[in-house]
Amino acid sequence: MRRFHTGTDLSRVHSIAELADMAQRRLPYFAWEYLNGGAEAELTLQDNLEAFRGYGLHARAMVPCHAPDTSRLVMGQVLPLPMLIGPTGYNGLLHRDADIHLARAATARGLPFTLSTASNTSLEKLVAAAPGVDLWFQLYAMRDPQVQKDLLQRASAVGCRTLVLTCDAMVLGNREWDRRSFARPRQLSWRNKFDVVRHPRWLKQTLWPSGMPGMGNLEPYLPASERNALGSMAFIGKQMDTLLDWDTLARLREHWSGRLLLKGVLHPADVERAIALGLDGVVVSNHGGRQLDGALSSLDALAAIAPQAQGKLSLLLDGGIRRGSDIVKALALGVDAVMLGRSTLYGVAVAGEPGVTRALDLLSEELVRTMNLMGCTHLNHLDRDSLFPRRRVPR
């Protein structure tokens, strides 16, 4: 009878799916739903995964299995692996100081870590707790120009040189199952309150002894009574600049002296606009299937976007990465690197920094094994000829 490991020994965890299973058992339902759910009927959430299954891998024979070269040049920086940890918010619901655990694990592997505007750890605290971190900062455009200016100054002051502007969340997606965890705004249903009590390990690793996590980056701008995860949701809802447009992005390009990427791009025409504005890169992303349900999967969008971007700006992708072979497929279709979201969040929910490290190691080991089995000795040798279409199984 097949079943995943049900103990605590991370060395016996052999896939991201197994880490996800462990995370689901450790988290109360409302926290798991926030982590793993998507918008509405979750069509795009599932398409992100199915798109990778739609490609097979060509294998070449008689190639010696030396250790392949997994390094990748991304915006002038050589990474040991073609991946980095992308921005995710409210991670303190999964584990105390989750952002710090994620940053430390990434730093130990020589990979960048992207801190969200909606993080539970401030820029300043993260840099102090994770020395040497290659910090990227994700920005939500704010209505209040002073708040946005201050966030950018703080990011620059702690040494951040890469800014990632998210453009696909100006209006919050309809995450129905997430909303059903609450009887009213900011108030868990009684069923979910009882479920929380049934998870003492989560209570200890997340809420004890300080209660609900604060909101790090946003705390200076929140009323004292609203300095918590739920209060910050209302703040972001009011502060999100729903009028964000290309002129706003052009002004940001003028004022931010570091590298600037636009995250949430799914159409080739938007890549053309990003190139014209002198952006350093774009992230092909549908926000993990949490925003517009029915939007293209990230991988399907990439097929049309890659030719527009080649040689003009850096191209990254997130959404649906669960295997090292997924990374191979994304690189073969034209990305420079992938941003990890849920894969590393499962790890931090299970065991903090060691859990994130296990997730990164699993993906790294699978990446190397896939390249060996394909007869591929360097990531730069991957292209569309490395893939072939497989028939997708209908839902």
Side-chain angles (χ1 to χ4, degrees):
M1 178 179 178
R2 287 183 169 182
R3 67 175 184 177
F4 287 136
H5 175 56
T6 57
T8 60
D9 184 356
L10 289 174
S11 69
R12 295 184 62 186
V13 175
H14 301 299
S15 68
I16 297 299
E18 194 160 10
L19 266 183
D21 182 73
M22 293 177 73
Q24 183 174 13
R25 285 185 279 108
R26 293 191 176 207
L27 295 173
Y29 174 78
F30 89 95
W32 169 253
E33 187 58 59
Y34 173 75
L35 165 60
N36 207 55
E40 296 183 352
E42 300 184 333
L43 301 177
T44 299
L45 177 70
Q46 294 303 316
D47 283 348
N48 277 346
L49 300 171
E50 292 296 332
F52 285 99
R53 296 170 187 151
Y55 288 95
L57 301 168
H58 282 302
R60 299 301 300 270
M62 304 301 292
V63 180
C65 288
H66 299 298
D69 189 339
T70 61
S71 63
R72 194 70 165 179
L73 183 66
V74 181
M75 292 188 295
Q77 177 181 355
V78 178
L79 301 181
L81 294 161
M83 58 190 186
L84 59 144
I85 296 183
T88 49
Y90 308 114
N91 294 334
L93 290 177
L94 309 178
H95 198 291
R96 186 186 309 107
D97 295 328
D99 297 307
I100 293 172
H101 293 305
L102 289 159
R104 285 175 173 168
T107 302
R109 293 294 179 273
L111 305 175
F113 167 74
T114 314
L115 188 69
S116 169
T117 295
S119 65
N120 296 115
T121 301
S122 69
L123 286 152
E124 296 81 2
K125 182 179 178 181
L126 185 120
V127 168
V133 62
D134 182 0
L135 179 63
W136 295 17
F137 182 58
Q138 176 270 334
L139 177 71
Y140 286 120
M142 298 288 176
R143 291 179 188 269
D144 187 334
Q146 190 55 47
V147 170
Q148 179 159 308
K149 180 180 178 182
D150 192 56
L151 281 169
L152 295 179
Q153 288 176 341
R154 289 168 59 195
S156 181
V158 298
C160 175
R161 296 294 174 263
T162 304
L163 184 68
V164 181
L165 177 69
T166 295
C167 66
D168 60 357
M170 291 185 283
V171 175
L172 191 65
N174 182 21
R175 303 165 195 176
E176 295 174 4
W177 287 104
D178 187 26
R179 291 167 60 193
R180 288 186 177 99
S181 296
F182 298 85
R184 60 184 66 87
R186 312 189 199 188
Q187 187 66 248
L188 284 174
S189 66
W190 279 108
R191 178 180 179 183
N192 278 280
K193 288 178 180 178
F194 285 128
D195 183 58
V196 166
V197 176
R198 293 176 57 247
H199 290 78
R201 181 183 297 174
W202 176 83
L203 286 167
K204 182 177 181 180
Q205 78 177 22
T206 306
L207 302 187
W208 186 88
S210 303
M212 289 291 287
M215 283 312 298
N217 291 323
L218 298 178
E219 281 193 5
Y221 322 117
L222 290 169
S225 61
E226 297 293 318
R227 289 175 183 173
N228 53 60
L230 297 176
S232 71
M233 292 179 187
F235 176 82
I236 289 180
K238 295 174 183 176
Q239 276 293 323
M240 198 77 74
D241 185 2
T242 56
L243 301 181
L244 176 65
D245 60 11
W246 291 102
D247 291 336
T248 307
L249 181 57
R251 290 192 292 272
L252 181 62
R253 173 70 287 181
E254 291 174 0
H255 289 96
W256 177 258
S257 59
R259 296 178 296 195
L260 178 60
L261 294 89
L262 184 64
K263 180 176 180 289
V265 175
L266 294 172
H267 197 285
D270 293 332
V271 177
E272 296 265 358
R273 298 290 296 268
I275 293 169
L277 286 179
L279 267 61
D280 298 280
V282 296
V283 183
V284 181
S285 172
N286 52 43
H287 216 94
R290 296 163 66 84
Q291 285 295 102
L292 175 63
D293 197 30
L296 272 176
S297 76
S298 296
L299 199 69
D300 286 333
L302 173 65
I305 284 175
Q308 302 294 108
Q310 190 171 18
K312 299 175 183 176
L313 45 62
S314 292
L315 194 58
L316 286 80
L317 173 144
D318 70 11
I321 303 292
R322 300 293 187 273
R323 292 281 186 183
S325 57
D326 295 338
I327 300 174
V328 165
K329 293 171 186 178
L331 267 60
L333 288 174
V335 302
D336 297 301
V338 299
M339 276 186 163
L340 305 176
R342 288 183 175 95
S343 291
T344 43
L345 291 182
Y346 296 143
V348 81
V350 168
E353 183 180 343
V356 183
T357 298
R358 185 59 180 152
L360 294 174
D361 287 349
L362 284 168
L363 292 171
S364 174
E365 292 163 8
E366 290 176 355
L367 174 65
V368 168
R369 186 183 302 113
T370 299
M371 293 176 68
N372 278 153
L373 292 172
M374 291 178 66
C376 177
T377 60
H378 197 295
L379 291 177
N380 291 344
H381 299 164
L382 294 169
D383 58 23
R384 288 175 180 250
D385 289 337
S386 304
L387 309 178
F388 66 89
R390 297 177 64 244
R391 183 173 59 86
R392 293 193 192 178
V393 178
R395 286 193 191 90

